[in-house]
Amino acid sequence: MLASVPTWVTVLQLLAAGVVGGFCVLQWVWWRGEVRPASAAWSFAWSLDMSLVLAAGGLYTLTVPGSFQDALAYVHAQLIAAFILIAIPGTRAIAGGPPARAWACAAGGLFAVRAIVWWVPAEHFPAGIDPQVVSEALLLVPTVVVVTYVVLAVGRTHLTRFGSLLVLAGAESLAIFTAGVLTPDRGLGGIFTALWAIPLALALEAVALSRIRDAQDSAALQHLMRDAVARLSNAAWFVKDADTLLVSARDEARTILADPSLEGSLRPIARDRFVTELFSAEKLDHTAQARAFMIDLSQIVSAAAERYQLAERLHATAFADSLTRLPNRRSVERHLVDVLDQANVERTRVSLIYCDLDGFKRVNDALGHASGDALLVRVADYLRTALDDRDAYIGRFGGDEFVVVLSRAPSDVDLVALARSLREGFLDRTVGSRPARLTVGVATWLPGDIVDPDALIRHADTAMLEAKRTHSGFRVFDRVLRRRVEAERQQRSALETAVAGGHFTAYFQPIVDAQTLEIVQVEALARWDHHGHLILPADWLDLAEETGLIVPIGLSVLSQARQALERFQMPVAVNIAARQLAEPDALAQIETAWGDAFWEHLTLEITESALVHTTSAVPVLSELRARGAQIAVDDFGTGYSSLARIARLPVDQLKIDRSFVRDMSTERGQGVVRAIVALAQTHGLDVVAEGVETPDQLTALIAMGVTRVQGNFLGRAAPGLPVRGPRPVTGTLPVVSQTRVLHAVPTQGASREGSLAAAQRTV
C-alpha cells in the first residue's frame, strides 16, 4: 500500500503524527483522572495507533529500499489493521451498540490471515491468483465488517454534533482509504493511502479535545459542588433554622448549576423526620452529577432540621416543664439573674410572686395523680390568663409551686392588690367542700439592694409560708418579715457557733418513786449556755430540728448522760429526736456517744408523733432495745396515735404529758390519766407523769396508780444531782453481767416525814 509520495505529503504525515501524538498525551492525562471512563481509554488507544500509522507512513518515504523499509511497510499494515479493529470496541464504548466480541473476532481473524499471507512469496500462490489482490481483499473485507458494526451502533444512537462530525470524518477517511486501495494509479493511490487517516484523526482529536474540556469542566464543577456542600454543612451548625438553611441550599444549587428555576421544599414526616427536595420549577433535565449534588444538599438540610427539632425538644426538657409547658425552675432562675442584672443598671424594681397550691395533696390522694396533674395545668392556664396584660415571666418552680417574675414591678399597693386577686381568682372545688386555692407570697428587689436572686426567692417563699401560717392567703415580704428573717438568720448563726463550740450542756431533773419520793432516775435535758445565760429548748429546739443541728446536740447530751451515769450511779433518760433516728448511721452515732456497755441503765425518750410517723425510727429503737436500753414515749396522749399500733411498737414506758397533769383538777384530765394508766397496765408498761407542780397533783397521781413522777415540785433540772446531805459512797460501777445496787436519797423538795432514809432498788 505504501509508495513513494511527494515531500509535502511526507511532511504533512509527520506533522499530523506529531499533532495526534500530542493529543495522545492529553488523552492519557484525561484517562488517568479520577473517573477513568472506558471511552477515554479506547480514544487514547485509537489516537496512539493513528499517530503511529502516520509516523510509519512518513518514515517509509524517508528510508531507502531494503529490509528495513519492508519491515516498516509490514508494521504500517498491521497498525492500519489495528486502527480499523479498534473502531469496534471504541464505538461500543463511546456510542454503545450490539455485543462486539463476534464482530471483533471476525475482523481480527481476517487481519491475522492478512498478516500471515504478507510474508508468503508470490511464487507459492496458485496460478492465476494475484497476491496483491488477496492482500487488498483481506484488508477490505474486515474493513467492511467494522464499518457495518459502526453503522449498526451509530444508527441506534442519537448523534450529537461531535458524533456527526466523527461519522462524516470517518466516512471521508474510509472513502480516501478505499480510493487509495482500489485506484490503479500507484502515485495517486500512495497519496491517498498516506493521507486517508488525517480527516478522521482531526475529527477524533476534536472529539477528544472536547471530551477533555468536558472532563475538566466536570472536575471543576465537582470541586465547586464539594465546596458548596462543605459550606452548607458548616452553616448548618450556626443557622439554627431549617427554612433559612433550605434557602441557602437552594441558592448554592442555583449558582453552581446555573439554573435560576431551582426551588426547595421541606416537609415533616413521622417520628420527627424531615424530607427535603430541590427541584427545577421548569422541569429541566439535569445530569446525574447535578442530581447527586442536589440530593447531598437536601440530605444536609433534612439532617439539620431533625437536629434542630431534637435540640428544641431537649431545650424544652431542660428549661420547660413537660406538664404545664411553663419554664421550669432552672429557666426561672436564669431569667431572674438576667432581669436583676438589667434592673441594677436601669434602677428599676423587680418583684417575685411565689404561689403555693393548697389542697393539691388532697386531690392526688382522693382522685389520683392524673387529676392532680390536671389541676396543675389549670393553675398554669389561670396564671397565664390573669397576668396576660403584664410583663410577667411565669414558671413552675416544682411540685405545686409556681413563681411569677415581674421585671417592671408596680408599687407596693398594686402588688398587694395583685396578690389578693391571684389568691381570690382561683378556686377549685374538685375534692370535697375544701377548695384548692393559691397561697401567695411577694418579695421585691429595690435599687441599691444586693443582687442576690436566691435571697429574693427565699424572701418570697418566706412571705408565702407566713401567709400559710396565718391563713391570710397572701403576704408581702415587708420590714417586719425582714427583721424576723434576719433575727432567725442570726439565731441560726449563733446556734451553729454554739454547736461548734460545745456550748450545750446537760442539766439533770430527777424522776422519783411516787410512794417513797426516792430518786430512781434522772433525765438529761439540753441547755444552751449563751454567754453565761441559759436558753431553754423552747427557744431553739424548732430551729435546731429544721437545720439538722439537733443531731450533734442530741449526741453531745447523750455523751454527757453517760458521764452522769458514772458520776451519779443513777440510771439516766435522754431525749432523742426523730431527725437523729433518721440518720443513715444513727445506730453507729448513738453507740459512739454512749459507749458499748451499761445499755440497761439508759432510757431513750422519743415523742409519740415521731415514733408513729418516722418509719426509720422503729428498726433503730428495736436494735437499741435488744441491747438493753428502754424506750419511753414522751408527751404521750398528744400524738393521736392508734392504741393498737402503740402495742406493736418497741416501747417500755409511757410518759404522761404535762398538759394532762395540769388538768388533774378536772374530770376530763383525770379521765385521760386513768385511761393512760389502764393502757400501760394492760400492756405491761411503766408510767411516768411529768410536769408535777403541786402536792395535790402528786396525791391524785398516786391514787390513780402512777408509780413514777417528775416535775419542778420534786426537783428542778440542775447541773448536778439534787440531793439532801452527803451521798453514800457506792464504789465503782460493776460490769454489765453482774447485778449492781444504785443508791439514791430523797430530793430537797420532799418532806422529811414522807421520805425514806435510803431505799434500795435492784436494776
Side-chain angles (χ1 to χ4, degrees), residues 429-453:
R429 297 187 180 276
T430 303
V431 178
S433 59
R434 295 176 59 190
R437 306 190 67 177
L438 292 178
T439 299
V440 182
V442 183
T444 302
W445 180 88
L446 301 176
D449 291 348
I450 298 175
V451 179
D452 188 353

Side-chain angles (χ1 to χ4, degrees), residues 213-502:
R213 186 187 63 188
D214 292 342
Q216 292 174 342
D217 293 342
S218 177
L221 182 62
Q222 186 69 29
H223 288 300
L224 292 176
M225 290 178 179
R226 290 179 181 176
D227 293 342
V229 170
R231 285 194 300 271
L232 190 67
S233 298
N234 293 332
W237 293 101
F238 300 99
V239 172
K240 303 304 180 184
D241 180 67
D243 293 332
T244 304
L245 190 65
L246 178 62
V247 172
S248 299
R250 184 202 63 187
D251 293 342
E252 290 282 4
R254 285 180 175 180
T255 303
I256 300 299
L257 302 180
D259 183 2
S261 68
L262 285 176
E263 296 294 342
S265 65
L266 179 64
R267 294 178 288 107
I269 57 177
R271 298 182 180 179
D272 295 332
R273 303 296 298 274
F274 289 85
V275 172
T276 305
E277 183 181 5
L278 293 174
F279 58 92
S280 175
E282 298 179 359
K283 298 183 179 181
L284 298 180
D285 186 18
H286 290 282
T287 63
Q289 184 183 28
R291 290 194 298 270
F293 170 61
M294 289 189 289
I295 291 175
D296 291 340
L297 296 179
S298 300
Q299 290 177 345
I300 293 174
V301 176
S302 297
E306 293 167 5
R307 187 171 65 250
Y308 300 156
Q309 182 81 357
L310 178 60
E312 290 178 0
R313 293 181 60 185
L314 292 177
H315 185 274
T317 302
F319 294 99
D321 177 50
S322 59
L323 177 63
T324 62
R325 302 300 180 185
L326 291 176
N328 60 11
R329 177 170 188 157
R330 182 179 179 185
S331 181
V332 170
E333 290 175 344
R334 187 175 64 174
H335 176 76
L336 185 59
V337 170
D338 296 338
V339 167
L340 287 178
D341 289 339
Q342 182 179 359
N344 192 35
V345 174
E346 298 177 355
R347 315 305 291 174
T348 56
R349 291 158 45 103
V350 176
S351 290
L352 181 73
I353 303 175
Y354 205 108
C355 303
D356 181 83
L357 180 59
D358 300 331
F360 175 67
K361 187 176 184 303
R362 294 199 309 273
V363 174
N364 267 344
D365 294 342
L367 302 179
H369 290 281
S371 298
D373 292 344
L375 177 59
L376 293 176
V377 172
R378 288 196 294 274
V379 173
D381 294 339
Y382 164 72
L383 292 176
R384 290 191 187 98
T385 304
L387 300 169
D388 183 53
D389 58 339
R390 297 178 180 270
D391 184 14
Y393 189 86
I394 308 170
R396 183 184 175 193
F397 217 54
D400 58 349
E401 297 174 341
F402 296 83
V403 295
V404 179
V405 179
L406 299 178
S407 56
R408 294 290 188 270
S411 63
D412 292 342
V413 176
D414 293 336
L415 284 175
V416 172
L418 178 60
R420 179 184 290 108
S421 65
L422 291 177
R423 162 71 175 182
E424 297 175 352
F426 184 81
L427 193 66
D428 190 281
R429 297 187 180 276
T430 303
V431 178
S433 59
R434 295 176 59 190
R437 306 190 67 177
L438 292 178
T439 299
V440 182
V442 183
T444 302
W445 180 88
L446 301 176
D449 291 348
I450 298 175
V451 179
D452 188 353
D454 293 335
L456 185 61
I457 295 173
R458 288 197 308 270
H459 294 166
D461 187 24
T462 301
M464 184 273 296
L465 294 176
E466 180 66 14
K468 192 181 290 289
R469 185 183 67 84
T470 59
H471 303 288
S472 62
F474 63 92
R475 179 65 189 270
V476 176
F477 189 82
D478 51 12
R479 293 181 180 178
V480 176
L481 268 181
R482 188 182 297 273
R483 285 195 295 268
R484 197 181 78 182
V485 169
E486 181 63 22
E488 290 178 354
R489 186 193 65 79
Q490 294 178 357
Q491 187 181 18
R492 183 182 296 108
S493 176
L495 186 63
E496 292 173 352
T497 302
V499 171

Side-chain angles (χ1 to χ4, degrees), residues 95-111:
R101 178 173 297 181
W103 298 84
C105 290
L110 294 175
F111 281 134

